[in-house]
Every structure is written in structure tokens, then in C-alpha cells.
Amino acid sequence: MRFSLRLALVVWALVVAMPAVPGLARSHAAVERDFRQFIARLWPEAHARGVSRAVFDAAFKTTTLDWSLPDLDPKFTGKTEQPGKRQAEFSSPGNYFNEASIAALSARGKAEMKRWGGVLRRIERHYGVPPGILLAMWARESNFGRAAIPYDALRNLATLSFMGRRPETFRPELLAALTMLQRGHVTRGEMKSSWAGAMGLMQMLPSQFLDYAVDFDGDGNKNIWSSVPDALASAANFLKARGWRSAEAWGYEVTMPARFDCTLEGPDHGRAIAEWLKMGLKPAGGRSIPPARRGDLAFLILPAARFGPAFLGTRNYYVIKSYNNSDLYVIYIGHLADRITDDVRFVQPWRGISTYSRDKVARLQKKLVAEGYNVGDTIDGLIGFRTRIATGLFEKKHGLAFDCWPGPQVFGAAGVK
């Protein structure tokens, strides 16, 4: 018995002393102690930004890590993935456009248009952004203020800065949140957010708040949490600063000839709308693009490759994408805006499509990169436009069905199981 107890104590001591490696997490208590040291090391940066010691200490006095968050580094958690915690922007394309949800938000958006029409028209005169776009963003970001936004923004940003997979993304946001507290824009208790630190009716990150939030209702406060005029105008200010063109639409649904080259998708292949039309694209559903707008620069967008609607996105398309870097998000906003203002619907259906785990897609991306194809800046397991283009080029090279979507034939030819 004594030998067994002594052996057990030795084994326990060795385990505690082992360094953290993926798949073998340290104890929560040990990581929490390292987190306190991380906070201490953050102080000089916060101080350099004008944050006082009193504000800094009060902000972190009782702050602990939130171990329930998605996108945490496995070296801390020991888990390689967290099922059910992926952002909706990267789910199967057709699932993103639930008709019942869009119809309900469209109806609500029309009611909010009547309620806030005067404010929206003033915002459009000042910033050039039309009411439909702002209402669609409000709907998507917070269900017109009805969505639960329960997280402690500072705690989440601190957690993701310390043990998230992308600390370089969240550390500046954490410092920006401290600056907000220092300037008195919001109290610590009022700073509620999404899991990734986005706040208020329009889900702005702290850095976006500092750069673009405005006091549009004239009460002396920049209140994106409960002031609808402030929240809508702040988003409009962001879009204008990113290059919004008031005369341009966000985009147009189009139809493609059967043999149209789907690798022409994306921001590297911009052409005037008139040129796209000469190449065989047509406005969907018999609609028309005004002659005055046919000189606008546009880009082919195929979020589901050949398995869903095709779009010509204008420069405003990419302005919206700077708010949320997802093609599906932009199309959702543009489509819902059209539904609210003109009752425009999709003409082409979102067809059934093959989907795979992010791990499997990441293995395919590595194979594509090894063959010289560009899948984007990172191997992320997401089927973005560069991965779709790379897939199409791979299909051409290997004589596969040409649809720009990684299906079973593509995985087979690439040797990915």
C-alpha cells in the first residue's frame, strides 16, 4: 500500500510538472495563475494608451478565464475542436438563408422602417448608406435589439487574447475596450458582447467603436447599446469610411451560362458590369441593371460555386465585407435589404451541396497548396473564394467535373480521405 501511494505521488508530481502540449492540458488553476501574469504584463501597453491604474485594476480585479468559449488554443484546453461552437457564417451555404427567418426579419424590418424612417433618411443624407442596408445589418446583428448578448466583453477579450487561437486579433480589441472604459463611454457592467467581443445593436468591436461610433441623437453620448440612432449612424459612418458609394447597389443576382468559368470569382477579376453581360451573365429573373450603372466595377461571387445563386458584387459589396469578412454575410445583408425595400427574392435555388469537417477541408487545402494553388493566407478548413478557385483549377488540371466545389472526386484525386 505504501509503495503504491508513494508511486502515485511521484506520478502526480511528474504530470503537474510536464509542459502544456496539444492534447494534454494543464490544470485550470495553473493556467489561471499564468493568466494573472498575462494581465500584469498588459499594464504597460494599457498605460501607454492613457488607461489609468485605477481603471485597469478595477477592470481586472475579479476577471477569470472563460473556458466555455470557442476557438481556444488546444495547448490550454487539451481539446482539438469544440463541436457546435463554429460561427454560422461558415455553415453550409444554403442553410444560412432560412426562408422563414428571412421573411420574419423582412416583415419586422418594414415595421422598423416606418418607425425610424426619419432617422434613417437623415443618416442616408449624411453618410450615403441607404436605410435597407442598415436595417438588414441591425436585423442580422441583434434581431433589432431583441437578441441576447450575454457575454462580459472584457472577460471574453482577455480570455481570447491569452489563450485563443488568434491572440493577435483580440489583444488590440482588449486594449481598445480598456480605452473605452477610461474615456467613460460605458461602465464595466454595461459592456456586454457576443462571444468574440462585438457589442451593441450593430455588434461593433471596441476598435470600431473608438474609430466610428457617433452621437447621432445629440444627447452627448455615443451609445451603441440602446440608442437606435447612434447605433445605426455608427455603422453607417463605418461603411462610409470604408468607401461606400451612395449611387451603387450592393450587387445583383445573375445567371451564368452552363460552361461559364467559375474560377473568375473574387476580387482579382473585377470588370465593368457591361463586360460581364457581354460574357454571357444575365440579371436573374428578367430583372434589369440600369444603363447608368453598367459601367460600375463588379466581381463574380459564387458562395456555393455552381450549387447556388450567382451574384455580381459591386465595390459596396466589399465595403460590407469589411464589416464581417464572409461572403454569405454580405449576401444575407444585401438580400434582406432588397426584401425589406423592394420585396426582391432569390431566383435561383440553393441546391444540396457536399460539406465536410474543417479538418478534412484543411487537409485538402494543404494538398492544393503543395500543388501550387492559392487557398488564402491560412489553412483554415473553410471553403472561401480562394479555396473554391483553387478547387476549380485543380478540377481543370485533373479532368474532373468543373464546378469549383470540393466534392468526392476532388478529395479522391487529391488523396484526401
Side-chain angles (χ1 to χ4, degrees), residues 19 31 191 198 205 226 233 250 372 413:
V31 176
M191 194 177 278
L205 290 166
S226 59
W250 71 271

Side-chain angles (χ1 to χ4, degrees), residues 158-213:
T159 298
L160 294 167
S161 297
F162 173 66
M163 65 176 188
R165 291 178 184 267
R166 298 171 291 144
E168 71 286 349
T169 297
F170 292 102
R171 188 184 182 98
E173 298 301 337
L174 176 59
L175 291 165
L178 289 169
T179 302
M180 290 176 61
L181 291 173
Q182 178 66 40
R183 295 179 183 177
H185 292 301
V186 63
T187 67
R188 177 76 169 75
E190 293 168 338
M191 194 177 278
K192 298 297 183 181
S193 73
S194 69
W195 72 264
M199 305 174 298
L201 299 176
M202 303 297 276
Q203 289 290 275
M204 301 187 81
L205 290 166
S207 62
Q208 294 173 334
F209 178 94
L210 292 176
D211 289 341
Y212 305 108

Side-chain angles (χ1 to χ4, degrees), residues 6 14 20 36 110 147 159 165 210 212 323 397 406 413:
R6 186 180 299 121
L14 288 172
R36 299 314 305 177
K110 291 174 182 177
T159 298
R165 291 178 184 267
L210 292 176
Y212 305 108
Y323 200 85
K397 177 180 177 181

Side-chain angles (χ1 to χ4, degrees), residues 27-281:
S27 71
H28 283 203
V31 176
E32 291 282 359
R33 287 193 296 271
D34 288 348
F35 174 60
R36 299 314 305 177
Q37 295 177 9
F38 164 81
I39 294 300
R41 293 193 299 270
L42 188 70
W43 160 244
E45 287 185 73
H47 181 59
R49 292 176 63 115
V51 178
S52 71
R53 187 81 223 195
V55 167
F56 184 88
D57 288 345
F60 293 117
K61 183 177 181 180
T62 61
T63 301
T64 58
L65 294 167
D66 186 343
W67 292 83
S68 70
L69 296 182
D71 213 26
L72 299 182
D73 193 322
K75 74 181 180 185
F76 294 100
T77 65
K79 301 176 182 178
T80 56
E81 62 180 11
Q82 295 169 308
K85 292 291 188 177
R86 296 173 184 169
Q87 293 189 69
E89 282 75 24
F90 304 119
S91 65
S92 180
N95 293 342
Y96 194 75
F97 300 94
N98 179 276
E99 173 57 28
S101 174
I102 290 175
L105 290 175
S106 174
R108 185 75 203 182
K110 291 174 182 177
E112 298 292 352
M113 178 80 83
K114 293 180 180 178
R115 181 181 180 186
W116 296 103
V119 169
L120 287 161
R121 287 188 291 273
R122 285 198 296 117
I123 291 174
E124 183 175 20
R125 287 195 296 271
H126 194 83
Y127 298 104
V129 182
I133 292 293
L134 295 176
L135 287 168
M137 292 175 67
W138 186 16
R140 183 63 194 166
E141 298 296 350
S142 69
N143 190 16
F144 301 106
R146 290 163 175 79
I149 304 175
Y151 288 99
D152 178 333
L154 207 73
R155 183 189 187 200
N156 282 29
L157 290 171
T159 298
L160 294 167
S161 297
F162 173 66
M163 65 176 188
R165 291 178 184 267
R166 298 171 291 144
E168 71 286 349
T169 297
F170 292 102
R171 188 184 182 98
E173 298 301 337
L174 176 59
L175 291 165
L178 289 169
T179 302
M180 290 176 61
L181 291 173
Q182 178 66 40
R183 295 179 183 177
H185 292 301
V186 63
T187 67
R188 177 76 169 75
E190 293 168 338
M191 194 177 278
K192 298 297 183 181
S193 73
S194 69
W195 72 264
M199 305 174 298
L201 299 176
M202 303 297 276
Q203 289 290 275
M204 301 187 81
L205 290 166
S207 62
Q208 294 173 334
F209 178 94
L210 292 176
D211 289 341
Y212 305 108
V214 296
D215 170 24
F216 203 75
D217 61 14
D219 69 353
N221 299 310
K222 299 176 181 179
N223 179 2
I224 63 171
W225 292 269
S226 59
S227 169
V228 172
D230 285 5
L232 296 177
S234 295
N237 187 35
F238 174 96
L239 296 176
K240 179 182 179 182
R242 294 302 179 96
W244 186 270
R245 293 165 173 80
S246 60
E248 291 186 14
W250 71 271
Y252 308 89
E253 186 183 353
V254 294
T255 58
M256 296 192 305
R259 297 184 179 275
F260 198 86
D261 188 349
C262 52
T263 65
L264 294 178
E265 181 184 5
D268 300 331
H269 301 286
R271 292 172 167 80
I273 290 176
E275 187 174 345
W276 286 113
L277 298 180
K278 288 179 181 178
M279 293 169 65
L281 300 186

